[in-house]
Amino acid sequence: MTLLLDWCTTLFSYGVALETHPRDLALVLDEHRGRTRLRLLYRDHAGPRVNGVRLASRLGGEAADLLGFADRGILAGHDGPVADLLAAGALRRCAVEPLAALAGTGRADGLRLLRDRLDDALHRLPRGAAAVLRTRLLDAGRLPVRAVVTPLLRPGAPPYVNVRNYLTAPMR
């Protein structure tokens, strides 16, 4: 969990979030310099969101010079869409849903652990990125989750719906 959260929050600090689903991730254990190491393998780079302003400020330069994406829908002019993708993908799909499936009745302990690990990850980020994610994830009253495609979801509808923040809800 720490590896996943550090990876996703570090990418966010550069203005990047990737469409993340558990089927796209694998843990890799291998030998390196005589020691076992744990790595995260990400196999699908489809559907990223990039805040060009944040990316340019981290890398230096102007956003227009750095970003040559053919699909301009990838670009966002602010952190909101990038944070939403991180919340709905990595946080919800790759951390919360597996925790819920594994924990059964002990789900509250898993959510507490997730919240603590996310807080730890935010302490390792530059202040500005950490403040945005703290506000949008840990302190928010609601979090975005991927909308389920139903006949009620019309073309052009937002890809997310907001649910009560499971990270700040009282633990049972």
Side-chain angles (χ1 to χ4, degrees):
M1 184 180 314
T2 299
L3 184 60
L4 173 70
L5 295 172
D6 277 345
W7 174 62
C8 292
T9 58
T10 298
L11 283 175
F12 179 85
S13 77
Y14 283 88
V16 177
L18 301 174
E19 179 69 37
T20 309
H21 192 280
R23 72 174 175 261
D24 298 331
L25 299 173
L27 290 175
V28 177
L29 288 171
D30 64 3
E31 193 82 19
H32 180 70
R33 296 182 183 164
R35 297 185 67 182
T36 301
R37 69 177 173 179
L38 176 67
R39 295 184 300 145
L40 189 64
L41 174 67
Y42 183 73
R43 72 170 185 94
D44 185 359
H45 298 290
R49 291 304 302 253
V50 177
N51 176 350
V53 176
R54 182 176 289 281
L55 181 61
S57 73
R58 285 297 307 267
L59 297 179
E62 294 185 30
D65 295 334
L66 295 172
L67 307 172
F69 294 108
D71 178 0
R72 303 305 282 178
I74 289 172
L75 299 176
H78 56 91
D79 288 323
V82 182
D84 286 351
L85 183 57
L86 187 156
L91 196 59
R92 180 67 183 205
R93 286 175 157 176
C94 297
V96 172
E97 289 175 7
L99 279 173
L102 290 173
T105 59
R107 185 169 178 234
D109 290 338
L111 291 176
R112 186 175 295 114
L113 176 66
L114 174 60
R115 185 177 59 216
D116 292 347
R117 292 299 172 266
L118 179 56
D119 186 55
D120 292 344
L122 297 183
H123 285 292
R124 291 186 281 277
L125 293 182
R127 247 180 283 180
V132 169
L133 289 179
R134 185 168 308 288
T135 299
R136 293 191 68 98
L137 302 179
L138 289 177
D139 298 338
R142 301 182 74 71
L143 289 177
V145 297
R146 190 54 93 177
V148 177
V149 178
T150 69
L152 298 175
L153 188 63
R154 293 175 180 73
Y160 306 109
V161 294
N162 290 318
V163 299
R164 189 170 125 234
N165 187 343
Y166 41 84
L167 296 173
T168 60
M171 300 294 173
R172 295 180 202 171

